[in-house]
Amino acid sequence: MTKPITKTPNSTPSAEDTFLWLEDRTAKQSLDWVHGQNEVTTGELQGDPSYQASFQTALDLMTAEDNIAVGAAIAGHVYNFWQDKTNVLGLWRRTTVASYKTEKPDWETIIDFDQLAAKDGIKWVFSGASRLYPDFNLCLVSMSPDGGDASEMREFDIETKSFVKDGFHARASKSGFSWLDKDTVIVSAAFEEADKTQSGYPRVVKLWKRGTKLEDATPIFEAQKEDLAVGAAVEFDGDRRYLILARTLDFFASHIFLRLPSGENRRLPLPDDMTDTAIFRDQLVFGVRSLWTAPDGTSCKPDGLYSLDLAHWIETGTLGLVETLLEPAYRVSIAGIARTQDRLFINLMDNVRGNVVVCEREEGGWSLKPVGLPENGNVGISHAEHFGSSVSFSFTDFLTPSSIIWSDDNGETLATVKSQPARFDASPLISEQFEARSKDGTMIPYFVVRRRDQKGPVPTLLYGYGGFEVPLLPGYAGVRGRLWLEKGNAYVQACIRGGGEFGPAWHQAALKGNRQNAFDDFAAVAQDVVKRGIATAASLGIQGGSNGGLLTGVSLTQHPELFGAVIIEVPLLDMLRYTELPPGASWMAEYGDPSKPEDAKWLSAYSPYQHVNAGAAYPPVLLTTSTADDRVHPGHARKMAARLQEAGHARTLFFEETEGGHGGRGDRRPQAAQTAMKYVFLQRALNGGS
């Protein structure tokens, strides 16, 4: 591989960090370096004979007209955001519930973002809309100019298909907007520095009256500068309307307030680590991340659900009786809760397999029963109609195309209304679940998808994440099937600690100073895959993004001997400076604070950027990021690539997309190109290793 020429600008870089200049996101010298790197990487990977066909396959599948149009029902309509080859930036559209259930629904376009982009000269990326109760025609539409998290807001009228003249409008920021009433918008503001937390998120909640300037909006609630963010929302429960205010201390702790008619913001006396909340039939339903004893003596445990009489608390200021709605069970965790008008649904994971329980509240008590959904796969709640009785569920696994199962009667009657066609031949494949013993003896589950008749080691891709309570669940991926599995390769998905596969305790086992557990788990899975003969170390590639990019970065520097290729996507890699790159400070509850000596000790023990070793035998590496990523700064990936290359690791490739943000939103073509390049990279690196 050709080593790109790295030129350092004339400015004097930090003595400790010779590549600090690459943190300047849009400086000419940084972008010149990026363009030089991109030229080498695209020349090598897009120049491969297999690239063009892989790109076309990825693009065809990402933009296929028979992909499932996933939607949510509101007041008789199903709303959906859709992208295909013709509608590159996408359509926000709707159809009636009856039409949605047909094979070819009659869609009504609300906003055509390609048309809007042509008119405005900006490649708008749809970021969602807040609709006004009860007719839901007036919307606060959020649109990102580059695919990042910062979005512009404009008021839109669905009936007239037009933006409201002199309506609510705010420039791009990380602010949040929702309706209080037709003439009042709740703004979680992050415009000026005074409005922002140190993480760059909203710090102040304001009420903005129609016809007034945004800067004149009335503050009603604020957080501390060092908090993560504030948020606000209106919640309806029958005829009751609640204005909920949240002071989010960090990723896993919040103080929740209700704004009372008197103007008082009264805090709910519940633990900071409350989770999975819903208001249903005058009850506040909640879970906890750690053991909490309620004032009435009720023991509230992680992975359980509990409820209290919210109306009683508002009236008296005391919590009263706390009821147990769902008892915790071994290796069963709560994936989420959602409600229709009359029922509450709990999405559970039982040993990383999904199911849903439906709850009713009658005569002051709870009754629960399972929803009759398919078993042994990944079941999720697609939508639950807050003001109606429709609810839909998704079902998938590694070898079963996704489907949408719909009910108009609160889950009583179920019908499969959408099924994605098969994208690859799954008949010769098998999906299995194994366990690996980690360094401390903990058993780590992982999934393997491979040919049933596999005789010896094959090129294998191991994927992991392991952070922020996010679970990795079985799921059908047509692109992976076509570009990887159909070629006789294997895929492995590791359920390491730090994720949410088994509830809060599984996450907390890799929190802060315990982070090494997640890295050890991943290494243990890699070794187990080799021990079972699925792959050799030389034929085993790894991939991870964001926190998963940190995982693969650490895996590269700690265990280069275990892998034949490493893909590091939109990563955190300089853990001693991550809080200096917005919004890095928001993750201190996950990783720790490098400005504190105790935290810096464990962070420096694994931070990949500081552990690049010129003498190590690293496998080929591909790092990817986006200039527009305003969640994980592109400086992490840039600096790591530069340091690896400087240390003589010439098999290091770097690619930076110029748009799309952290999740690669927007135009599917660059997404398809990057996906194809990754599979070309893996195939080239691992083919000689089996």
Side-chain angles (χ1 to χ4, degrees), residues 475-491:
Y476 189 84
V479 175
R480 183 173 65 224
R482 287 282 291 282
L483 298 186
W484 191 249
L485 295 172
E486 276 195 350
K487 298 182 190 299
N489 303 323
Y491 174 74

Side-chain angles (χ1 to χ4, degrees), residues 426-571:
S427 59
L429 302 174
I430 187 171
S431 172
E432 303 164 286
Q433 190 178 27
F434 297 117
E435 285 189 323
R437 185 180 298 277
S438 193
K439 191 174 180 179
D440 66 357
T442 303
M443 300 308 291
I444 309 302
Y446 67 93
F447 293 97
V448 178
V449 186
R450 57 175 171 164
R451 285 187 65 90
R452 189 179 276 102
D453 61 358
Q454 182 184 339
K455 293 293 188 287
V458 297
T460 298
L461 173 58
L462 167 59
Y463 187 85
Y465 185 77
F468 294 95
E469 291 186 337
V470 175
L472 286 188
L473 305 173
Y476 189 84
V479 175
R480 183 173 65 224
R482 287 282 291 282
L483 298 186
W484 191 249
L485 295 172
E486 276 195 350
K487 298 182 190 299
N489 303 323
Y491 174 74
V492 179
Q493 191 163 286
C495 303
I496 64 176
R497 284 174 289 181
E501 289 85 356
F502 302 114
W506 194 250
H507 167 245
Q508 290 157 10
L511 205 59
K512 293 187 175 179
N514 294 323
R515 197 91 205 156
Q516 187 60 42
N517 284 336
F519 310 139
D520 291 343
D521 294 354
F522 199 61
V525 170
Q527 290 165 322
D528 204 61
V529 165
V530 170
K531 185 178 169 186
R532 292 179 189 274
I534 296 165
T536 62
S539 75
L540 181 62
I542 57 173
Q543 180 181 15
S546 195
N547 174 75
L550 171 62
L551 170 69
T552 53
V554 171
S555 299
L556 170 72
T557 53
Q558 289 188 355
H559 291 290
E561 77 285 355
L562 295 182
F563 313 110
V566 177
I567 297 178
I568 302 172
E569 303 168 302
V570 291

